Amino acid sequence: MTAEIITIERHILEQQRRFPKATGELTALLYDIALAAKIISREVSKAGLVEILGLTGEENVQGEQVMKLDVYANDTLVRMTEHTGRLCVMASEEIPDLIPIPDKYPCGRYVLLFDPLDGSSNIDMNVSIGTIFSIQRKVSGGPRGTLGDCLQPGHKQAAAGYVIYGSSTMLVYTTGQGVHGFTLDPSVGEFLLSHPNIQTPSRAKYYSVNEGNYGYWSEGVRRYVDYLKASDKAAGRPYSGRYIGSLVADFHRNLLAGGIFMYPADTKDPEKPHGKLRLLYEAAPLAFIIEQAGGRASDGKQDIMQVQPESLHQRVPLFIGSKEDVDKAEQFIREFG
Ligand code: AFP
């Protein structure tokens, strides 16, 4: 055996030791989430085998059909964290309102916001899906967490991460000390450090966008995508297109290989003028990760990390990935709208 084996528990603890004043609460919360991820991963890997597949017949707050695994992932995250005394309130992409911590449990210093199973319409097709989470600090003064604790801009996050259920299960997280990736070894049930200090290339090779929406985009976005496809050998264009339609999978691929993912605003659905993705559960946590990896995230005009949330399920246009490419997308939007 040559390489040192570092479990996620050891890694999180070692990061905590750099902060002598840390109480260990955030460390423990991250470990709770890792444990929930293992349980969700176990069920996801059985998706094709058991009757858990299929629709519950309910719709979530976004008007999308909810699949049983979404409900399972949501409940698992809530059950693994609500009793610990580390959280003051939670919010989930699957639940319309705040998820309070029951009175019988102590109230903690942190807020957990999550998308329990993103890309779930892909489950039946055996495409990679993921869990995304964001951790904020309690800022309200009362005895329990409030909506205001959830509606904080991305730059205030204490930690963020995602789990990708792919050819292997990986957990990637940041607490503002770089981005670190762990691969689940199913034989021992541990996440082991496999991708320390991930840095994303400053220029992309790939672009990821649902080009079926081309006709619904603004002039600036259309021109930018045309530019990416135009041949210019010296400038490294055209870029290659990669679009899975599962945000965590698209993001993870671009993070490692260098790429830009876009879900721009469009005119397709008048109910969703800001695109499809949610600020609190998708855009902000991935923005924290990409910034820590040397990339950028923008809504086309400003950094996602600066956007002040106004409601729990707010949507936002997203341009995220290699820094120079996000800068360029913004430039086209500035010039052409
Ligand atoms: P589902 O959870 O309904 O599969 O949606 C996935 C998602 O929110 C995100 O993971 C994808 O990036 C995006 O939607 C894909 O949307 P389009 O199907 O409109 O391209």
Side-chain angles (χ1 to χ4, degrees):
M1 207 179 286
T2 49
E4 201 181 359
I5 295 178
I6 301 177
T7 63
I8 196 164
E9 188 177 20
R10 173 174 161 195
H11 191 268
I12 298 172
L13 269 170
E14 282 175 3
Q15 292 237 320
Q16 183 201 317
R17 281 195 202 111
R18 295 188 191 173
F19 300 93
K21 285 191 185 148
T23 60
E25 261 180 81
L26 181 61
T27 301
L29 175 55
L30 286 167
Y31 195 66
D32 297 338
I33 293 169
L35 191 53
K38 287 190 225 174
I39 296 170
I40 297 167
S41 174
R42 187 190 61 195
E43 291 308 305
V44 169
S45 68
K46 292 192 294 191
L49 298 172
V50 290
E51 287 223 335
I52 201 156
L53 266 186
L55 305 173
T56 60
E58 293 163 23
E59 287 200 339
N60 70 10
V61 272
Q62 323 292 342
E64 301 154 334
Q65 284 183 306
V66 179
M67 304 188 87
K68 276 189 178 170
L69 266 176
D70 296 31
V71 177
Y72 181 84
N74 189 80
D75 292 355
T76 302
L77 275 156
V78 171
R79 272 191 295 124
M80 297 303 290
T81 52
E82 66 177 356
H83 63 277
T84 59
R86 303 190 239 283
L87 293 178
C88 63
V89 67
M90 285 185 249
S92 161
E93 194 246 340
E94 291 295 334
I95 308 290
D97 301 317
L98 292 178
I99 306 171
I101 302 302
D103 287 341
K104 61 182 173 184
Y105 300 130
C107 177
R109 295 164 44 209
Y110 290 100
V111 180
L112 179 62
L113 305 143
F114 58 90
D115 184 347
L117 214 50
D118 186 72
S120 53
S121 63
N122 292 306
I123 296 171
D124 279 339
M125 277 65 79
N126 208 355
V127 169
S128 300
I129 49 180
T131 297
I132 311 173
F133 63 90
S134 161
I135 299 173
Q136 293 277 11
R137 296 178 183 84
K138 182 176 190 290
V139 286
S140 63
R144 296 270 140 181
T146 64
L147 180 61
D149 291 316
C150 296
L151 300 183
Q152 299 188 63
H155 69 87
K156 300 256 176 153
Q157 288 171 102
Y162 63 86
V163 185
I164 178 165
Y165 311 102
S167 45
S168 53
T169 296
M170 270 191 77
L171 188 150
V172 176
Y173 86 97
T174 186
T175 53
Q177 305 294 311
V179 179
H180 311 285
F182 299 78
T183 302
L184 182 63
D185 180 341
S187 64
V188 291
E190 280 287 0
F191 279 109
L192 305 178
L193 182 63
S194 52
H195 295 66
N197 288 314
I198 298 172
Q199 283 290 302
T200 199
S202 60
R203 273 210 55 197
K205 284 192 193 141
Y206 301 98
Y207 74 101
S208 310
V209 69
N210 183 347
E211 255 185 286
N213 292 335
Y214 186 93
Y216 301 108
W217 295 334
S218 70
E219 171 87 11
V221 175
R222 284 205 297 261
R223 284 200 189 217
Y224 175 61
V225 172
D226 292 342
Y227 161 85
L228 295 179
K229 295 194 295 185
S231 177
D232 181 344
K233 225 172 174 187
R237 289 184 285 119
Y239 284 11
S240 281
R242 293 285 187 282
Y243 189 68
I244 303 165
S246 183
L247 177 61
V248 174
D250 280 309
F251 177 84
H252 185 69
R253 190 179 194 291
N254 288 342
L255 176 72
L256 299 182
I260 177 164
F261 174 95
M262 296 168 261
Y263 209 109
D266 61 51
T267 54
K268 192 174 172 184
D269 182 349
E271 306 257 300
K272 298 175 189 167
H274 304 297
K276 185 177 180 189
L277 303 180
R278 297 83 174 165
L279 174 59
L280 291 177
Y281 317 111
E282 294 170 313
L286 296 184
F288 191 14
I289 292 168
I290 204 75
E291 283 200 2
Q292 284 291 312
R296 268 201 74 200
S298 166
D299 66 359
K301 289 183 184 153
Q302 62 170 326
D303 279 344
I304 290 287
M305 296 281 269
Q306 301 303 325
V307 178
Q308 174 61 50
E310 277 157 22
S311 62
L312 272 185
H313 296 283
Q314 179 174 338
R315 295 176 197 266
V316 71
L318 181 62
F319 300 82
I320 189 166
S322 296
K323 185 177 175 319
E324 289 175 29
D325 298 273
V326 176
D327 290 348
K328 195 75 179 175
E330 278 184 341
Q331 189 189 319
F332 271 87
I333 290 166
R334 252 194 323 271
E335 274 179 42
F336 301 105

